[in-house]
Amino acid sequence: MAATDPSLTGLAQGWCALSLLHGKIESRIGRALESSHELSVREFSLLDVLSRQHDGPGGHLQMKEVAEAVALSQSATTRLVTRLEDRGLLRRYLCDTDRRGIYTEVTEAGLTLLGEARPTHDAALRDAFEEASGNPLLAPLVRTVQELPAAV
């Protein structure tokens, strides 16, 4: 069914449009990051989330928090972290106060790659939104996202 199918409810049509916009944006960013930096969108997102943590130079989160931050299952998150750890971009370590807790933090190499990849990410994001704004179905969503407060 197309997003403009009259049998869909307004809510379902909106969801279809949002899903389409997300897919187009993620695809554009993914191609740009892969070709220029050998990073997937999820890998970039994880490095970005971890880099903004405040409990250490590279930031850290417990593995369960990592899974929530990148919207993946625990097993998929473990595989993602392992890939980035194998590349020297992340490291895992035991929590000092609770030996059951495992933290993940970005290494200097990860911060460097993130810094190099951010302009590519941002340019692809701008391009994807610009392209989507020309689609009458997606233009209202683009405007809504552009109007969101920066602190969200």
Side-chain angles (χ1 to χ4, degrees):
M1 286 187 181
T4 56
D5 186 327
S7 69
L8 291 175
T9 65
L11 185 60
Q13 286 181 11
W15 171 244
C16 286
L18 182 59
S19 181
L20 177 63
L21 178 61
H22 178 268
K24 286 180 173 293
I25 292 169
E26 190 166 37
S27 178
R28 167 79 57 96
I29 293 171
R31 286 191 308 272
L33 288 173
E34 284 286 345
S35 67
S36 299
H37 307 285
E38 297 181 2
L39 275 176
S40 71
V41 173
R42 294 275 191 218
E43 290 167 340
F44 177 89
S45 296
L46 177 56
L47 290 173
D48 182 53
V49 165
L50 288 171
S51 74
R52 290 184 274 117
Q53 301 309 305
H54 301 290
D55 291 321
H60 71 260
L61 289 175
Q62 287 189 354
M63 288 296 289
K64 65 181 177 184
E65 296 169 314
V66 172
E68 291 173 12
V70 293
L72 291 173
S73 68
Q74 289 278 338
S75 61
T77 300
T78 299
R79 289 190 300 273
L80 175 63
V81 168
T82 299
R83 278 197 315 270
L84 291 174
E85 189 176 37
D86 289 347
R87 292 175 59 188
L89 303 175
L90 295 179
R91 77 175 187 96
R92 285 182 268 205
Y93 61 95
L94 291 176
C95 174
D96 291 337
T97 58
D98 179 1
R99 299 307 247 173
R100 296 169 296 169
I102 298 174
Y103 284 107
T104 305
E105 72 176 355
V106 183
T107 64
E108 284 300 318
L111 291 172
T112 299
L113 180 58
L114 179 63
E116 294 167 355
R118 189 174 306 284
T120 302
H121 173 276
D122 294 350
L125 180 62
R126 278 190 305 276
D127 291 347
F129 269 99
E130 184 177 320
E131 181 182 311
S133 69
N135 180 326
L137 178 67
L138 303 178
L141 290 170
V142 170
R143 283 191 299 276
T144 299
V145 171
Q146 290 170 334
E147 292 170 1
L148 288 173
V152 170

